[in-house]
Amino acid sequence: MDNTNEERLKNPLAALGLSLIFPGLGQIYNQQVKKGQMFFVIAIILIVTMFAAVGFVLYPIFWIYNMYDAYTDAVKMNSGEIQTG
């Protein structure tokens, strides 16, 4: 089955929104599954480290970066700068 360009386009706001829900979901939406899984694991580790106070600083920084990454990767995929998968 031949995918048209419209079928491969990613919605940057959807990627951003999914990453807002939980880190890694936007990357998985962008078909960057390994990256999404890695971000998911990092987020869990940072949540656990919140009990040691380190996570209170690092988790919000990571969360913001995660949303930025999902959005910009979706834009780059739509323009053909990077490939999906």
Side-chain angles (χ1 to χ4, degrees):
M1 178 178 246
D2 186 28
N3 289 338
T4 65
N5 190 35
E6 293 174 6
E7 291 175 356
R8 292 182 301 209
L9 290 179
K10 299 296 177 189
N11 184 335
L13 292 178
L16 176 70
L18 288 167
S19 288
L20 179 63
I21 294 169
F22 198 83
L25 293 179
Q27 285 75 14
I28 292 171
Y29 167 78
N30 287 338
Q31 296 177 342
Q32 297 174 309
V33 177
K34 289 182 182 182
K35 187 180 201 180
Q37 291 169 337
M38 180 182 66
F39 279 19
F40 190 86
V41 169
I42 291 170
I44 296 294
I45 291 169
L46 290 174
I47 288 170
V48 170
T49 62
M50 281 186 177
F51 296 107
V54 175
F56 281 112
V57 175
L58 296 179
Y59 184 73
I61 293 169
F62 176 71
W63 195 14
I64 291 167
Y65 170 75
N66 169 69
M67 291 184 287
Y68 167 81
D69 180 72
Y71 180 87
T72 56
D73 279 359
V75 170
K76 288 177 183 177
M77 285 176 181
N78 289 342
S79 69
E81 288 181 55
I82 59 176
Q83 299 295 318
T84 60

